[in-house]
Amino acid sequence: MEVVREAAVETEARSEEQPGWWRNAVVYQVYVRSFADANGDGIGDLAGVLEHLPYLRDLGVDALWFNPWYPSPMADSGYDISDYRSIDPNFGTLAEAEHLIAEASRLGIRTIVDIVPNHVSDQHPWFQAAVDSALGSPERERFWFRPGTGPGGDSPPNGWQSIFGGSAWTRTEDGGEWYLHLFAPEQPDLNWTHPDVAAEHEDVLRFWFDRGAAGVRIDSAALLVKDPELREERADAGPGEHPFTDRDDLHEIYRRWRAIADGYDDPRVLVGEVWLPDVDRFTRYLRPDELHTAFNFDFLGSPWDAERMRASIESSLAAHAPVDAPATWVLSNHDVTRPVTRYGRADSSFAFESKRLGTPTDLARGRRRARAAALLAMALPGSMYIYQGEELGLPEVEDIPAERKQDPMWFRSGGVDPGRDGCRIPIPWSGTTPPYGFSPNGAERSWLDQPGDWAPLTVEAESDDPRSMLSLYRAGLRLRREAPWGTGAFSWFPSGDEVLAFARGEDFVCFVNFGPDPVPLPAGAEVLIASDDLEGGAVPQDTTVWLLNPLGQGEKGR
Ligand code: GLC
């Protein structure tokens, strides 16, 4: 392997100047409904999370991000909130949430809560008051109520389409006005030009920060502001001109939120869910007085391909550097196909539009690549997200019968989109048959069924297996904490087309072989960890290795 250094990207050196735990944190995403069910009702709960905090501590994570845990009719699995200051009774109580935050903190783990500012549940008191009030009433102004078009006002006010499919407008039951919902009809969009809306959310932020939350994950963060004229989408719209995505007025909202977060002694952190293909528009949200970090969906969506991954890493680092924000490395979450399944496909990229049932999958290959991807993500500068079950290598469950499906993406697409239930299956903890320790024995059927062949994927089984995905995650995260790269800067190693290799500092190299031919290691390099067995000193296909002292003896510490 030829070891030649390219110009270093000075991301880490700059980060040194501004320490902050979130800059290189490992954040573990807890989908409460499927994490652990302590009370036996078949639904995960806060008591279940509390019980398993030692597991999370031992895994070596810095923070937990909880998907929405608030009271919700669950039309979109909790992203339809009816009360932002309480806990859904299926999950527990507010006192339990406070206790959980405190206990996690005692174990050195911070808590990030999910805030959903774009929409509320149709059962939220504001929306209930709005539909109970007359046309043109102030209660309706907190939402987007509009008369219909066409004869009798029977057609929606405009042609906007819901992200879940179908029109983004639903008519009120009395056959009067229509209201806007970018997601399901049970999730009416708020009108962010209304002062109540901004004031309410600022108060909700303080509510959770005052209870010890270290930060918030902001749902659908680029959608809050709408074109007040409700103009149609245009193919030739310039940056910031889309009628409901990435509008410039959003930044002012996040500046106010940042001031609130910075007002705490231990400043709170804002993490944005910002899906934008334009990486420069994306990083505008990460300017020093706005959000701290945002999920890197470009990396998440990249196919398992050396060139595409390299391009994604390079553009991410380059775009984050000028705003001095850390990049984040995300392989999965509760919305996307599980990595071991996705990477086992001919097209291993992720896009909602192309997600279909019946796609041929080679799970063994996917698992091997997911292992390699995990070590790659752990070695990159910035912070990392792990979605529960990713560390167990759970596959996407694709044979959920229609009558058991829950996700509105499945319903609203008329079954064209398989929906997101397959990545939300309850975690297998122990034992050889469902519920695999997710619920206590004799509990009610879990809200989504677990497959019958998950015995080898339980935490218990994987803990005893040094070759398991869990053992790899534990070992990789342990090494990551030791930061074998020190404080050195990131630089690329030119390598063959099928290899992605980068250095951090002088002594550390991460090396990923995507191609069919094994690639020999440089002489003298010490292997810190490998995602799979090496072949007589060479790195086989779909394998990542971390190397120490790759420049050979005598070069160390140059
Ligand atoms: C975000 C969430 C997703 C939810 C949607 C609407 O994309 O991650 O799960 O359905 O927002 O709130």
Side-chain angles (χ1 to χ4, degrees):
M1 183 173 71
E2 193 194 7
V3 179
V4 182
R5 208 153 296 238
E6 287 179 357
V9 178
E10 292 296 339
T11 48
E12 280 172 280
R14 295 188 54 166
S15 303
E16 284 285 286
E17 293 157 19
Q18 277 192 22
W21 66 270
W22 43 275
R23 287 188 169 271
N24 62 3
V26 176
V27 183
Y28 185 94
Q29 179 186 352
V30 181
Y31 196 78
V32 182
R33 215 176 172 188
S34 292
F35 189 70
D37 165 27
N39 68 1
D41 62 1
I43 301 169
D45 44 41
L46 299 189
V49 181
L50 187 70
E51 231 170 71
H52 290 290
L53 279 181
Y55 166 76
L56 298 167
R57 176 201 54 204
D58 296 345
L59 182 59
V61 303
D62 301 299
L64 304 178
W65 148 35
F66 290 92
N67 285 100
W69 54 14
Y70 318 102
S72 164
M74 299 283 163
D76 181 20
S77 221
Y79 283 95
D80 47 320
I81 301 172
S82 51
D83 177 359
Y84 286 70
R85 296 178 184 78
S86 186
I87 298 291
D88 191 278
N90 284 310
F91 297 153
T93 63
L94 183 57
E96 280 181 277
E98 290 173 358
H99 180 58
L100 182 57
I101 294 171
E103 276 303 291
S105 164
R106 213 174 51 77
L107 299 184
I109 303 175
R110 293 178 157 90
T111 295
I112 295 174
V113 300
D114 210 320
I115 294 291
V116 184
N118 181 67
H119 46 265
V120 296
S121 161
D122 61 352
Q123 302 304 309
H124 187 283
W126 278 8
F127 192 72
Q128 291 289 304
V131 288
D132 288 346
S133 306
L135 300 185
S137 61
E139 286 80 1
R140 291 203 170 190
E141 284 169 16
R142 295 181 182 131
F143 298 90
W144 293 95
F145 281 89
R146 289 291 181 278
T149 53
D154 288 346
S155 299
N158 70 14
W160 294 2
Q161 293 293 295
S162 152
I163 290 158
F164 287 166
S167 171
W169 297 90
T170 291
R171 201 169 199 179
T172 52
E173 275 169 16
D174 59 11
E177 288 184 316
W178 299 66
Y179 66 89
L180 176 69
H181 52 86
L182 290 183
F183 294 94
E186 296 86 352
Q187 296 166 293
D189 277 50
L190 289 164
N191 171 8
W192 269 85
T193 66
H194 195 294
D196 284 1
V197 172
E200 169 68 359
H201 280 88
E202 289 172 15
D203 194 63
V204 166
L205 288 182
R206 290 193 191 92
F207 181 89
W208 289 104
F209 291 161
D210 290 347
R211 278 162 184 75
V216 290
R217 177 263 188 192
I218 306 162
D219 186 68
S220 304
L223 302 183
L224 279 48
V225 177
K226 310 325 190 261
D227 175 357
E229 307 296 325
L230 302 179
R231 277 175 281 236
E232 297 293 353
E233 291 183 56
R234 286 194 349 248
D236 62 345
E241 287 177 3
H242 188 276
F244 57 80
T245 304
D246 186 32
R247 294 183 66 85
D248 289 335
D249 289 350
L250 281 161
H251 297 282
E252 199 39 49
I253 297 173
Y254 297 130
R255 286 196 189 99
R256 288 199 306 269
W257 287 24
R258 180 62 177 257
I260 294 170
D262 283 348
Y264 285 79
D265 283 344
D266 186 6
R268 307 310 203 235
V269 171
L270 309 175
V271 182
E273 189 209 16
V274 181
W275 291 89
L276 287 181
D278 178 337
V279 74
D280 293 317
R281 292 291 296 183
F282 170 85
T283 44
R284 290 172 86 239
Y285 291 82
L286 304 177
R287 290 177 290 197
D289 58 347
E290 299 189 40
L291 310 183
H292 296 74
T293 65
F295 302 109
N296 189 340
F297 292 121
D298 187 70
F299 183 72
L300 179 151
S302 286
W304 184 251
D305 172 273
E307 201 183 319
R308 298 281 295 277
M309 283 255 175
R310 182 181 163 118
S312 177
I313 294 166
E314 186 154 79
S315 66
S316 299
L317 292 177
H320 284 73
V323 288
D324 192 24
T328 65
W329 309 105
V330 190
L331 295 171
S332 68
N333 67 26
H334 64 293
D335 291 329
V336 306
T337 310
R338 289 274 192 188
V340 298
T341 301
R342 177 164 65 88
Y343 288 142
R345 293 177 167 167
D347 176 3
S348 55
S349 62
F350 177 79
F352 287 105
E353 302 73 42
S354 55
K355 196 176 167 195
R356 295 290 175 266
L357 278 183
T359 310
T361 305
D362 175 348
L363 274 183
R365 174 154 237 209
R367 191 160 287 130
R368 191 176 173 94
R369 290 173 168 177
R371 293 172 66 88
L375 282 192
L376 166 62
M378 287 179 204
L380 287 164
S383 82
M384 183 191 179
Y385 284 79
I386 299 170
Y387 170 48
Q388 69 180 40
E390 180 186 317
E391 81 279 19
L392 301 174
L394 299 184
E396 186 83 2
V397 174
E398 299 191 279
D399 57 358
I400 304 172
E403 69 276 9
R404 295 287 288 160
K405 292 213 189 207
Q406 310 271 339
D407 185 15
M409 283 190 105
W410 152 261
F411 295 110
R412 286 190 59 86
S413 68
V416 174
D417 184 317
R420 300 164 296 180
D421 297 314
C423 66
R424 300 175 176 180
I425 304 296
I427 293 295
W429 289 94
S430 57
T432 53
T433 50
Y436 303 108
F438 168 69
S439 300
N441 285 338
E444 285 182 36
R445 185 175 180 180
S446 56
W447 74 283
L448 286 171
D449 301 318
Q450 298 158 308
D453 60 355
W454 273 14
L457 297 175
T458 64
V459 170
E460 183 182 51
E462 293 203 24
S463 295
D464 291 340
D465 176 2
R467 304 176 67 87
S468 69
M469 189 73 92
L470 180 57
S471 296
L472 180 77
Y473 267 75
R474 282 178 174 157
L477 293 176
R478 196 175 314 123
L479 275 172
R480 186 187 188 276
R481 248 192 330 276
E482 290 166 10
W485 36 77
T487 56
F490 177 98
S491 60
W492 288 110
F493 266 33
S495 44
D497 288 350
E498 308 262 38
V499 169
L500 186 159
F502 58 86
R504 292 182 66 181
E506 299 295 330
D507 299 334
F508 176 88
V509 162
C510 175
F511 186 96
V512 193
N513 183 12
F514 291 74
D517 301 325
V519 180
L521 291 173
E526 180 193 334
V527 176
L528 275 177
I529 188 169
S531 61
D532 267 294
D533 290 341
L534 302 187
E535 282 173 14
V539 184
Q541 184 168 29
D542 297 334
T543 306
T544 298
V545 281
W546 292 7
L547 302 175
L548 216 48
N549 195 19
L551 301 178
Q553 312 219 330
E555 299 273 350
K556 202 169 172 191
R558 258 187 336 159

